[in-house]
Amino acid sequence: MTRLYLELGPKKVFACSLDWPGWCRIAKGEEAAIERLMEYVPRYRIIAERAGLEFAPGEPVVVARVPGTPVTDFGAPYQVPDLDQEPLPAEPAERGVALLRAAWDLFDEVAAAAPEELRKGPRGGGRDRSKIVNHVEEAERSYARMVGVRHKPFKAPGDRGAMRAELAEVLSRPWQPPQTTAWPPRYALRRIAWHVIDHIWEIEDRV
C-alpha cells in the first residue's frame, strides 16, 4: 500500500506520502487531493529513478489526518503529523536524502533549460525563472535552520553547495526522539523535497 496522511485546511487538502519525501499534492477535498497525488506518479517516478529507486506505489491508504491552517490553503504542507515523531533508521534516512539530491539535480537542469520569462498564470501571476531559483534557494536556507543548519546568504559560487552538503549529512543520520530541533527529520525531508519538486513542476508547466 501507499501510506498517506491528509492535511485538512479550511478550504483545501494536502495528500502527502509518508514514505516518498516530496510527493505531495493539494486540491479541494480529500478524494480530489488523493486523486491528484496519484496523477503525479509518472512525474515523481522520474525523480525516484534518478535516485536509483523503483517507484511503483500501491493502493493509497490514508493512515492519518491532521488539521491544517490557512497556510495549507495558501499551498504549503505546514503541519507536522505525529507519525513524523517515529524513530528514523539510517536506511530510510539515506534513501530520503538520495531523493532530495535527485530533486536538487533535476531542479537545476529544468531551470537551466527554461527561458527567463515563463508563461503567466490565468490571472497573470507567477515568478519568472531567476526569481523562482532565488526563492527556492532562500527558502531552503530558511528550512535548513529548522534542523540546525545555519548559513549566511549565498555570495560565493560554492555557498549553496556547502549548505546542501551539510543539510544532506544531517538528514541522512538515524534519528531517535526526543526532538531537539524545530522540525523532526522526517518532516524536514518531506517539506524541503516538496518545495524543490513543486517548483520543478511549476517551471515545466509554465515553459
Coordinates of all heavy atoms in Angstrom, one line a residue, residues 53-107:
L53 N 16.0 4.4 -7.4 CA 14.9 3.7 -6.6 C 13.7 3.3 -7.6 O 13.4 4.1 -8.5 CB 14.4 4.6 -5.5 CG 15.4 5.0 -4.5 CD1 14.8 6.1 -3.6 CD2 15.8 3.8 -3.6
E54 N 13.2 2.2 -7.4 CA 12.0 1.8 -8.1 C 10.8 2.4 -7.4 O 10.6 2.3 -6.2 CB 11.8 0.2 -8.1 CG 10.6 -0.2 -8.9 CD 10.4 -1.7 -8.8 OE1 11.2 -2.4 -8.2 OE2 9.4 -2.2 -9.4
F55 N 9.9 3.0 -8.2 CA 8.8 3.7 -7.7 C 7.5 3.1 -8.3 O 7.2 3.4 -9.5 CB 8.8 5.2 -8.0 CG 7.7 6.0 -7.5 CD1 7.4 6.1 -6.1 CD2 6.8 6.7 -8.3 CE1 6.4 6.8 -5.6 CE2 5.8 7.5 -7.9 CZ 5.6 7.5 -6.5
A56 N 6.9 2.2 -7.6 CA 5.7 1.5 -8.0 C 4.6 1.6 -6.9 O 4.4 0.5 -6.3 CB 6.0 0.1 -8.5
P57 N 4.0 2.7 -6.6 CA 3.1 2.8 -5.5 C 1.9 2.0 -5.6 O 1.4 1.8 -6.7 CB 2.8 4.3 -5.5 CG 3.0 4.8 -6.9 CD 4.1 4.0 -7.4
G58 N 1.5 1.4 -4.5 CA 0.3 0.6 -4.5 C -1.0 1.5 -4.2 O -1.0 2.7 -4.3
E59 N -2.0 0.8 -3.7 CA -3.3 1.5 -3.4 C -3.0 2.5 -2.3 O -2.5 2.2 -1.3 CB -4.3 0.4 -3.0 CG -5.7 1.0 -2.8 CD -6.4 1.3 -4.1 OE1 -5.9 0.8 -5.2 OE2 -7.3 2.1 -4.1
P60 N -3.5 3.7 -2.5 CA -3.3 4.8 -1.5 C -4.2 4.5 -0.3 O -5.4 4.2 -0.4 CB -3.7 6.1 -2.1 CG -4.6 5.7 -3.3 CD -4.1 4.3 -3.7
V61 N -3.6 4.5 0.9 CA -4.3 4.3 2.2 C -4.0 5.5 3.1 O -2.9 5.8 3.4 CB -3.9 3.0 2.8 CG1 -4.6 2.8 4.2 CG2 -4.2 1.8 1.9
V62 N -5.1 6.1 3.6 CA -4.9 7.2 4.5 C -4.7 6.7 5.9 O -5.6 6.0 6.4 CB -6.1 8.2 4.4 CG1 -6.0 9.3 5.5 CG2 -6.3 8.8 3.0
V63 N -3.6 7.0 6.5 CA -3.3 6.4 7.8 C -3.4 7.5 8.9 O -3.3 7.2 10.1 CB -1.9 5.7 7.9 CG1 -1.9 4.5 6.9 CG2 -0.8 6.7 7.5
A64 N -3.5 8.8 8.5 CA -3.6 9.9 9.5 C -4.2 11.1 8.8 O -4.1 11.3 7.6 CB -2.3 10.2 10.1
R65 N -4.9 11.9 9.6 CA -5.4 13.2 9.2 C -4.9 14.2 10.3 O -5.0 13.9 11.5 CB -6.9 13.2 9.1 CG -7.4 12.4 7.9 CD -9.0 12.3 8.0 NE -9.5 11.8 6.8 CZ -9.6 10.5 6.5 NH1 -9.1 9.6 7.4 NH2 -10.1 10.0 5.4
V66 N -4.4 15.4 9.8 CA -4.0 16.4 10.7 C -4.7 17.7 10.3 O -5.0 18.0 9.1 CB -2.5 16.6 10.6 CG1 -1.8 15.4 11.1 CG2 -2.0 17.0 9.2
P67 N -5.1 18.5 11.3 CA -5.8 19.8 11.0 C -4.8 20.8 10.4 O -3.7 20.9 10.9 CB -6.3 20.3 12.4 CG -5.4 19.6 13.4 CD -5.0 18.3 12.8
G68 N -5.2 21.4 9.3 CA -4.3 22.4 8.7 C -4.6 23.8 9.1 O -5.3 24.0 10.1
T69 N -4.1 24.7 8.4 CA -4.2 26.2 8.8 C -4.4 26.9 7.4 O -4.4 26.3 6.4 CB -2.9 26.7 9.4 OG1 -1.9 26.8 8.5 CG2 -2.5 25.8 10.6
P70 N -4.6 28.2 7.5 CA -4.6 29.0 6.2 C -3.4 28.8 5.4 O -3.4 29.0 4.2 CB -4.8 30.4 6.7 CG -5.5 30.3 8.0 CD -5.0 29.1 8.7
V71 N -2.2 28.5 6.0 CA -1.0 28.2 5.2 C -1.2 27.0 4.3 O -0.7 26.9 3.2 CB 0.2 28.0 6.1 CG1 1.4 27.6 5.3 CG2 0.4 29.2 7.0
T72 N -2.0 26.0 4.8 CA -2.4 24.8 4.0 C -3.1 25.3 2.7 O -2.7 24.9 1.6 CB -3.3 23.9 4.8 OG1 -2.7 23.6 6.1 CG2 -3.4 22.6 4.0
D73 N -4.1 26.1 2.9 CA -4.8 26.7 1.7 C -3.9 27.5 0.8 O -4.2 27.5 -0.4 CB -6.0 27.5 2.2 CG -7.1 26.7 2.8 OD1 -7.0 25.4 2.8 OD2 -8.1 27.3 3.2
F74 N -3.0 28.2 1.4 CA -2.1 29.0 0.6 C -1.2 28.1 -0.3 O -0.8 28.6 -1.4 CB -1.2 29.8 1.5 CG -0.2 30.7 0.8 CD1 -0.7 31.9 0.2 CD2 1.1 30.4 0.8 CE1 0.2 32.7 -0.5 CE2 2.0 31.3 0.1 CZ 1.6 32.4 -0.5
G75 N -1.0 26.9 0.1 CA -0.3 25.9 -0.8 C 1.0 25.3 -0.2 O 1.8 24.9 -1.0
A76 N 1.1 25.2 1.1 CA 2.3 24.5 1.7 C 1.8 23.5 2.7 O 0.9 23.8 3.5 CB 3.2 25.5 2.3
P77 N 2.4 22.3 2.7 CA 2.1 21.3 3.8 C 2.8 21.7 5.1 O 4.0 21.5 5.3 CB 2.7 20.0 3.2 CG 3.8 20.4 2.3 CD 3.4 21.8 1.7
Y78 N 2.0 22.3 5.9 CA 2.6 23.1 7.0 C 2.6 22.4 8.4 O 3.5 22.6 9.2 CB 1.7 24.4 7.2 CG 2.2 25.4 8.2 CD1 3.4 26.1 7.9 CD2 1.6 25.6 9.4 CE1 3.9 27.1 8.8 CE2 2.0 26.6 10.3 CZ 3.2 27.3 10.0 OH 3.6 28.2 10.9
Q79 N 1.7 21.4 8.6 CA 1.6 20.8 9.9 C 2.5 19.5 10.0 O 2.6 18.8 9.0 CB 0.1 20.4 10.2 CG -0.8 21.6 10.2 CD -0.5 22.5 11.4 OE1 0.4 23.4 11.4 NE2 -1.3 22.4 12.5
V80 N 3.0 19.3 11.1 CA 3.8 18.1 11.4 C 3.0 17.0 11.9 O 2.5 17.1 13.1 CB 5.0 18.4 12.3 CG1 5.9 17.2 12.5 CG2 5.8 19.6 11.8
P81 N 2.8 15.9 11.2 CA 1.9 14.8 11.8 C 2.7 14.1 12.9 O 3.9 14.0 12.9 CB 1.7 13.9 10.6 CG 2.9 14.2 9.6 CD 3.2 15.6 9.8
D82 N 1.9 13.5 13.8 CA 2.5 12.7 14.9 C 3.4 11.6 14.4 O 4.4 11.2 15.0 CB 1.4 12.1 15.8 CG 0.7 13.2 16.6 OD1 1.2 14.3 16.7 OD2 -0.4 12.9 17.1
L83 N 3.1 11.0 13.2 CA 3.9 9.9 12.7 C 5.3 10.3 12.4 O 6.2 9.5 12.3 CB 3.3 9.4 11.4 CG 2.0 8.6 11.6 CD1 1.2 8.4 10.3 CD2 2.2 7.2 12.3
D84 N 5.6 11.6 12.2 CA 6.9 12.1 12.0 C 7.8 12.1 13.3 O 9.0 12.4 13.2 CB 6.9 13.5 11.4 CG 6.5 13.5 9.9 OD1 6.5 12.4 9.3 OD2 6.2 14.6 9.4
Q85 N 7.2 11.8 14.4 CA 7.9 11.6 15.6 C 8.5 10.2 15.8 O 9.2 9.9 16.8 CB 7.1 12.0 16.8 CG 6.6 13.5 16.8 CD 7.7 14.5 16.9 OE1 8.8 14.2 17.4 NE2 7.4 15.7 16.5
E86 N 8.2 9.3 14.9 CA 8.7 8.0 15.0 C 10.2 8.0 14.7 O 10.7 8.8 14.0 CB 8.0 7.0 14.0 CG 6.5 6.8 14.2 CD 5.9 5.9 13.2 OE1 6.6 5.6 12.2 OE2 4.7 5.5 13.4
P87 N 11.0 7.0 15.3 CA 12.4 6.9 15.0 C 12.6 6.8 13.5 O 11.8 6.2 12.8 CB 12.8 5.7 15.8 CG 11.8 5.5 16.9 CD 10.5 6.0 16.3
L88 N 13.7 7.3 13.1 CA 14.1 7.3 11.7 C 15.4 6.5 11.5 O 16.5 7.0 11.8 CB 14.3 8.7 11.1 CG 14.7 8.8 9.6 CD1 13.6 8.2 8.7 CD2 14.9 10.2 9.2
P89 N 15.4 5.2 11.1 CA 16.6 4.4 10.9 C 17.5 5.0 9.8 O 17.0 5.8 9.0 CB 16.1 3.0 10.6 CG 14.7 3.0 11.1 CD 14.2 4.4 10.9
A90 N 18.7 4.5 9.7 CA 19.7 5.0 8.8 C 19.2 4.8 7.3 O 19.3 5.7 6.5 CB 21.0 4.4 9.0
E91 N 18.7 3.6 7.0 CA 18.4 3.3 5.6 C 17.3 4.2 5.0 O 17.5 4.8 4.0 CB 17.9 1.8 5.5 CG 17.8 1.3 4.1 CD 16.4 1.7 3.5 OE1 15.4 1.8 4.2 OE2 16.4 1.9 2.2
P92 N 16.1 4.4 5.7 CA 15.2 5.3 5.1 C 15.7 6.8 5.1 O 15.3 7.6 4.3 CB 13.9 5.2 6.0 CG 14.4 4.5 7.2 CD 15.6 3.7 6.9
A93 N 16.5 7.1 6.1 CA 17.1 8.5 6.1 C 18.0 8.7 4.9 O 17.9 9.7 4.2 CB 17.9 8.7 7.4
E94 N 18.8 7.7 4.6 CA 19.7 7.8 3.4 C 18.9 7.8 2.1 O 19.3 8.5 1.2 CB 20.8 6.7 3.5 CG 21.8 6.8 4.6 CD 22.6 5.6 4.8 OE1 22.4 4.6 4.1 OE2 23.4 5.6 5.7
R95 N 17.9 7.0 2.1 CA 17.0 6.9 0.9 C 16.3 8.3 0.7 O 16.2 8.7 -0.4 CB 16.0 5.8 1.2 CG 14.9 5.6 0.1 CD 14.0 4.4 0.5 NE 12.8 4.4 -0.3 CZ 11.7 5.0 -0.1 NH1 11.7 5.9 1.0 NH2 10.7 4.9 -0.8
G96 N 15.8 8.9 1.8 CA 15.2 10.2 1.6 C 16.2 11.2 1.1 O 15.8 12.1 0.3
V97 N 17.4 11.2 1.6 CA 18.4 12.2 1.1 C 18.7 11.9 -0.4 O 19.0 12.8 -1.1 CB 19.7 12.1 2.0 CG1 20.8 12.9 1.3 CG2 19.3 12.7 3.4
A98 N 18.8 10.6 -0.8 CA 19.0 10.3 -2.2 C 17.9 10.9 -3.1 O 18.2 11.5 -4.2 CB 19.1 8.8 -2.4
L99 N 16.7 10.9 -2.6 CA 15.6 11.5 -3.3 C 15.7 13.0 -3.4 O 15.5 13.7 -4.4 CB 14.2 11.1 -2.7 CG 13.8 9.7 -3.0 CD1 12.8 9.2 -1.9 CD2 13.3 9.5 -4.4
L100 N 16.1 13.6 -2.2 CA 16.3 15.0 -2.2 C 17.4 15.5 -3.1 O 17.3 16.5 -3.9 CB 16.6 15.5 -0.7 CG 16.9 17.0 -0.5 CD1 15.7 17.8 -0.9 CD2 17.2 17.2 1.0
R101 N 18.5 14.7 -3.2 CA 19.6 15.1 -4.1 C 19.2 15.0 -5.5 O 19.5 15.8 -6.4 CB 20.8 14.1 -3.8 CG 21.6 14.4 -2.5 CD 22.8 13.5 -2.5 NE 23.6 13.6 -1.3 CZ 24.4 14.6 -1.0 NH1 24.7 15.5 -1.9 NH2 25.1 14.6 0.2
A102 N 18.4 14.0 -5.8 CA 17.9 13.8 -7.2 C 17.0 15.0 -7.6 O 17.0 15.5 -8.7 CB 17.1 12.5 -7.3
A103 N 16.2 15.5 -6.6 CA 15.3 16.6 -6.9 C 16.1 17.9 -7.1 O 15.9 18.7 -8.0 CB 14.3 16.8 -5.7
W104 N 17.2 18.1 -6.3 CA 18.1 19.2 -6.5 C 18.7 19.2 -7.9 O 18.7 20.2 -8.6 CB 19.2 19.2 -5.5 CG 18.8 19.6 -4.1 CD1 17.8 20.5 -3.7 CD2 19.5 19.3 -2.9 NE1 17.8 20.7 -2.4 CE2 18.8 20.0 -1.8 CE3 20.6 18.5 -2.6 CZ2 19.2 19.9 -0.5 CZ3 21.0 18.4 -1.2 CH2 20.3 19.0 -0.2
D105 N 19.2 18.0 -8.3 CA 19.8 17.9 -9.6 C 18.8 18.2 -10.7 O 19.1 18.9 -11.7 CB 20.4 16.6 -9.8 CG 21.6 16.3 -8.9 OD1 22.2 17.3 -8.4 OD2 22.1 15.1 -8.8
L106 N 17.6 17.7 -10.6 CA 16.6 17.9 -11.7 C 16.2 19.3 -11.7 O 16.0 19.9 -12.8 CB 15.4 16.9 -11.4 CG 14.3 17.0 -12.5 CD1 14.9 16.7 -13.9 CD2 13.2 16.1 -12.2
F107 N 16.0 19.9 -10.5 CA 15.6 21.3 -10.5 C 16.7 22.2 -11.2 O 16.3 23.1 -12.0 CB 15.5 21.8 -9.0 CG 15.2 23.3 -8.9 CD1 13.9 23.7 -9.0 CD2 16.2 24.3 -8.8 CE1 13.6 25.1 -8.9 CE2 15.9 25.6 -8.7 CZ 14.6 26.0 -8.8

